[in-house]
């Protein structure tokens, strides 16, 4: 079953064209990771350890379990207690995955060491098409990693299975 359209597919449909995936969009680079890739991974890890970032990651990972579009709308309100964490975590992972999508870091290597960001993408995926009505590029790099790297696709499949088992036990998101 096909999911909601990607941002590019939506844009192309508005123009009356069918979106074709480029060669680079169909598969990750396949190049061997370099020492520069390794240094970048260590820097990304170090950034994740910063105290406020760690708090934000914990809040989103363990405290945000959207059950409806209303939950997604609520967390975007600047007055929501988890809004700052949502923005920090979402933008961090989008920047990280953008490095892979743009070829700055080898995609498979990057995702193997940074799969955590796909957790938020998976939590939002059922409502991504609605989110993109106002924010067309939302989670575009996360989506690219999920669809164009083997590791990203595997992480997403695994997370969706776990969500199906765990979501009923999760406390509702604070609104």
């Amino acid at each position: 079953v096909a999911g909601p359209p990607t941002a590019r597919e939506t844009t192309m449909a508005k123009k009356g064209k069918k979106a074709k995936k480029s060669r680079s969009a169909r598969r990750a680079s396949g190049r061997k990771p370099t020492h520069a890739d390794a240094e970048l991974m260590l820097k990304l890890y170090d950034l994740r350890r910063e105290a406020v970032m760690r708090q934000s990651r914990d809040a989103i990972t363990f405290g945000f379990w959207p059950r409806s579009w209303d939950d997604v709308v609520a967390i975007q309100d600047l007055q929501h207690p988890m809004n700052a964490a949502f923005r920090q975590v979402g933008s961090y992972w989008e920047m990280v995955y953008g490095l892979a999508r743009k070829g700055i870091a080898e995609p498979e290597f990057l995702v193997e060491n940074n799969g955590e960001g796909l957790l938020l993408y998976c939590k939002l995926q059922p409502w991504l098409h609605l989110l993109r009505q106002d924010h067309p590029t939302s989670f575009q790099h996360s989506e690219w990693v999920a669809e164009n790297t083997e590791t990203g696709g595997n992480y997403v499949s695994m997370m969706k299975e776990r969500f199906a088992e765990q979501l009923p036990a999760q406390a509702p998101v604070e609104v």
Side-chain angles (χ1 to χ4, degrees):
V1 176
T6 64
R8 183 165 192 262
E9 290 168 340
T10 302
T11 301
M12 295 299 284
K14 287 179 182 175
K15 294 179 180 177
K17 299 177 182 177
K18 185 173 179 171
K20 292 183 181 179
K21 290 187 177 182
S22 68
R23 174 177 259 186
S24 64
R26 283 190 298 251
R27 63 178 179 77
S29 76
R31 74 171 169 80
K32 184 178 176 181
T34 66
H35 288 281
D37 290 318
E39 288 175 20
L40 179 58
M41 292 311 108
L42 293 172
K43 178 64 176 171
L44 293 172
Y45 178 76
D46 197 39
L47 291 171
R48 288 180 7 211
R49 295 175 52 223
E50 187 273 327
V52 175
M53 181 58 156
R54 189 176 295 261
Q55 271 185 315
S56 294
R57 288 173 43 234
D58 285 350
I60 296 302
T61 299
F62 302 111
F64 178 61
W65 291 94
R67 296 174 185 270
S68 68
W69 171 239
D70 290 339
D71 293 339
V72 177
V73 170
I75 202 168
Q76 292 178 76
D77 184 330
L78 294 176
Q79 302 306 312
H80 191 283
M82 292 177 68
N83 176 268
F86 176 77
R87 288 182 293 115
Q88 182 176 28
V89 171
S91 63
Y92 175 80
W93 289 115
E94 274 301 284
M95 287 187 284
V96 168
Y97 294 144
L99 297 172
R101 185 176 185 188
K102 301 299 182 182
I104 294 165
E106 201 287 317
E108 287 292 340
F109 180 69
L110 185 134
V111 177
E112 287 170 3
N113 295 284
N114 291 284
E116 176 188 331
L118 291 171
L119 179 63
L120 180 56
Y121 168 76
C122 287
K123 289 179 178 185
L124 294 171
Q125 195 175 26
W127 305 283
L128 208 50
H129 64 288
L130 296 171
L131 185 61
R132 287 181 174 158
Q133 289 176 359
D134 291 327
H135 310 283
T137 60
S138 292
F139 297 92
Q140 65 180 347
H141 300 308
S142 299
E143 181 175 58
W144 185 89
V145 163
E147 293 179 355
N148 294 285
T149 66
E150 183 177 349
T151 305
N154 290 340
Y155 281 159
V156 167
S157 295
M158 176 187 65
M159 288 177 197
K160 285 182 179 181
E161 287 176 24
R162 288 185 181 169
F163 286 176
E165 296 167 2
Q166 294 177 354
L167 190 58
Q170 298 298 328
V173 68
E174 292 180 25
V175 284

